[in-house]
Amino acid sequence: MSCQKITVSTASASSTGYAVLIEDSSYPWEYLSKLHEKFRKEKKQVALITDSNMKRCYKAALDELRDEGWPILAIAAGEGHKNAATKEKIETFLFKNKITRSSTVVALGGGVVGDLVGFVAATFMRGISWQSLPSSIVAMVDASIGGKTGIDTPFGKNLVGSFHNPKEVYISLALLSTLREKEYRNGFAEVAKHALIADRALYQFLKKNIENIQRRDMKTLQAIVRKNVLIKKNVVTEDERESGLRRILNFGHTVGHGLEWLSAFKLSHGEAVSIGMAAEAYFSYKLGLLSHADFQRIVELLSCLGLRASMPAWSHGKIPEPYKACLLDKKASASVFCFSAIQSIGRMHAAGGEYLLHLERRQFLLLMRDFCGQLPFAKT
Ligand code: GLY
């Protein structure tokens, strides 16, 4: 049993930064009990927000925490609930439980819970502190680090939000044991993304450890999560507010968010981002930035990880629609498709420090049609 600590310091985090603790074998219940005891002694009120998936898997442990005095709200799980209505539900719960400015709210769950709770914490009484206990691969390696919080709106994904860093992130790898296979696998889209944008050695490590990943080997997961936290930390430390370098974290996300939106969230974030990375890598290749061999290696890695690389069948004959959907993305400016291009495995194209390229509609449609010709449409 071991616990590793990584400190993330950014311009807006307190001078000491915030700790990311990675615990390899124990569940977070003892951590939460101690946290409650600490806040009780300090006479501070706390609340725990989780979701229906966590409640299904860990009902007994959550009941015990409730008996110890934790007020607990389990929101409905899923991206479809990351909206203003759920935000209001959480706020009502906090008001009813007398949460004040000196209180802390704790998020226990995947990226949706973290994004929502972080955003509530950013605005509740003009800002209270929050802690993140991520339960999914995506939340552990990406969403819980870097302070992005927010909700989806009828006009697009993550369009209302705030930067609000957590006070501490506690990663309990044991929680991965109950993650559904599809969610576990799709989480590796963000892991692959980190390798592709910043770390060729991680790309090699992933390729060598496909079987260990599939059987959820704890030592392998610990190494992967640690490496990913460090990659994300390095990027957000240099560019917290996404004025340049942080845009590389959006690799695959312009096309990905568009597809996710078009599918009405039937495609999960990981599935959509995986297709998005293949598409944006193809655009990079066609623009003369990436070699064809690296494009093929990228598609191969995604497929070894059990991820999708080709466009879904329902998008066949509807290529202009992804363009419109991609324009809903925050990165689109003046109705032009924007994406971060890849130069080689482990390195993004700097584009003069902007880390962003623009494609006119005609160019996008040609590239997208070409991409669809390269990789046959998937059946679903
Ligand atoms: N998930 C992308 C970012 O944190 O910037």
Side-chain angles (χ1 to χ4, degrees), residues 5-20:
K5 180 175 168 181
I6 295 170
T7 303
V8 182
S9 303
T10 60
S12 74
S14 65
S15 55
T16 50
Y18 57 93
V20 180

Side-chain angles (χ1 to χ4, degrees), residues 142 145 148 193 232 242 246 249-250:
D142 185 17
I145 298 137
K148 277 190 183 174
K193 179 193 80 181
K232 179 110 193 221
E242 204 173 300
R246 187 167 180 166
L249 296 172
N250 296 324

Side-chain angles (χ1 to χ4, degrees), residues 247-277:
R247 291 184 182 133
I248 67 174
L249 296 172
N250 296 324
F251 176 53
H253 281 62
T254 314
V255 170
H257 279 169
L259 287 175
E260 203 179 349
W261 192 256
L262 263 186
S263 75
F265 298 109
K266 281 191 195 78
L267 271 184
S268 74
H269 182 69
E271 287 171 310
V273 165
S274 177
I275 301 167
M277 285 192 287

Side-chain angles (χ1 to χ4, degrees), residues 32 75 83 99 149 327:
L32 283 166
I75 58 170
N83 54 30
I99 294 297
T149 70
L327 295 184

Side-chain angles (χ1 to χ4, degrees), residues 50-102:
T50 187
D51 71 11
S52 48
N53 280 341
M54 292 298 288
K55 199 172 157 189
R56 179 176 48 80
C57 295
Y58 301 109
K59 188 175 179 314
L62 290 170
D63 283 347
E64 259 183 54
L65 289 171
R66 187 175 274 125
D67 291 345
E68 284 172 17
W70 273 102
I72 301 177
L73 172 69
I75 58 170
E79 185 76 33
H81 298 281
K82 201 176 93 178
N83 54 30
T86 314
K87 180 174 185 266
E88 200 179 327
K89 205 176 201 171
I90 297 172
E91 286 160 350
T92 304
F93 180 77
L94 299 188
F95 284 123
K96 284 189 176 162
N97 282 282
K98 306 198 170 12
I99 294 297
T100 66
R101 274 193 165 168
S102 61

Side-chain angles (χ1 to χ4, degrees), residues 184-303:
Y184 174 77
R185 192 176 54 236
N186 290 337
F188 276 85
E190 301 291 350
V191 173
K193 179 193 80 181
H194 284 155
L196 298 176
I197 64 171
D199 196 330
R200 201 170 179 109
L202 176 60
Y203 158 80
Q204 306 283 13
F205 182 87
L206 293 175
K207 268 184 53 180
K208 267 197 209 132
N209 284 278
I210 297 292
E211 271 180 33
N212 287 337
I213 292 170
Q214 281 164 352
R215 59 183 179 86
R216 306 190 191 194
D217 172 64
M218 205 36 85
K219 241 177 116 190
T220 309
L221 288 175
Q222 193 182 32
I224 288 173
V225 170
R226 185 175 172 278
K227 191 70 212 161
N228 277 267
V229 170
L230 286 170
I231 291 170
K232 179 110 193 221
K233 168 196 150 138
N234 289 342
V235 175
V236 301
T237 301
E238 196 169 322
D239 175 23
E240 185 178 25
R241 296 291 167 123
E242 204 173 300
S243 53
L245 181 71
R246 187 167 180 166
R247 291 184 182 133
I248 67 174
L249 296 172
N250 296 324
F251 176 53
H253 281 62
T254 314
V255 170
H257 279 169
L259 287 175
E260 203 179 349
W261 192 256
L262 263 186
S263 75
F265 298 109
K266 281 191 195 78
L267 271 184
S268 74
H269 182 69
E271 287 171 310
V273 165
S274 177
I275 301 167
M277 285 192 287
E280 293 177 19
Y282 187 74
F283 299 173
S284 307
Y285 155 62
K286 288 300 271 188
L287 294 171
L289 300 167
L290 180 75
S291 70
H292 192 257
D294 266 0
F295 165 66
Q296 282 177 318
R297 286 187 189 106
I298 290 170
V299 171
E300 194 184 293
L301 175 71
L302 298 175
S303 100

